[in-house]
Amino acid sequence: MSRLLLAEDDPLLGTTIKLNLEAEGHELDWLTNGQEVLDQASAKTYDAIVLDISMPGLDGLSVLGELRNRGNVTPVLMLTVRN
C-alpha cells in the first residue's frame, strides 16, 4: 500500500481519482491548492504526489519547483486537462 498526496482543485476529477486510487488500496490525502500541498508535503512523508498543473494560488509547476528547492525528492506525477 502506498501513501499518496493528490493535489487537484476540480471536485469531479479529484473525487474520481481519489475513489479509484483508494479502490486499488492506496492511502490518499487530497488537497486543492498549492500552498496546502507544500505544507502537507513538508509535514508528512508520501510515496508519490499526483500534482495538478493548474491550481489556485501556487500552480503545480511552482509547487514542484519549491518542493525540489526544499530537498523533497518524492516522485511526482503531473496532471493537466489542457488541450
Side-chain angles (χ1 to χ4, degrees):
M1 176 180 354
S2 298
R3 180 160 190 82
L4 306 175
L5 176 58
L6 170 63
E8 174 57 60
D9 64 311
D10 180 90
L12 181 59
L13 185 55
T15 299
T16 301
I17 293 169
K18 181 180 187 306
L19 291 174
N20 281 286
L21 288 173
E22 288 177 339
E24 293 296 322
H26 302 286
E27 290 183 30
L28 189 87
D29 291 332
W30 175 21
L31 303 173
T32 59
N33 76 62
Q35 187 59 54
E36 289 177 341
V37 173
L38 287 175
D39 295 342
Q40 190 78 347
S42 297
K44 291 185 177 181
T45 301
Y46 292 95
D47 296 303
I49 299 171
V50 180
L51 185 58
D52 182 13
I53 289 177
S54 300
M55 288 185 294
L58 292 174
D59 66 22
L61 295 174
S62 298
V63 170
L64 178 57
E66 184 59 28
L67 286 172
R68 296 303 186 242
N69 285 339
R70 293 180 181 187
N72 187 317
V73 295
T74 304
V76 173
L77 173 67
M78 302 294 291
L79 298 179
T80 185
V81 294
R82 295 179 185 169
N83 293 340

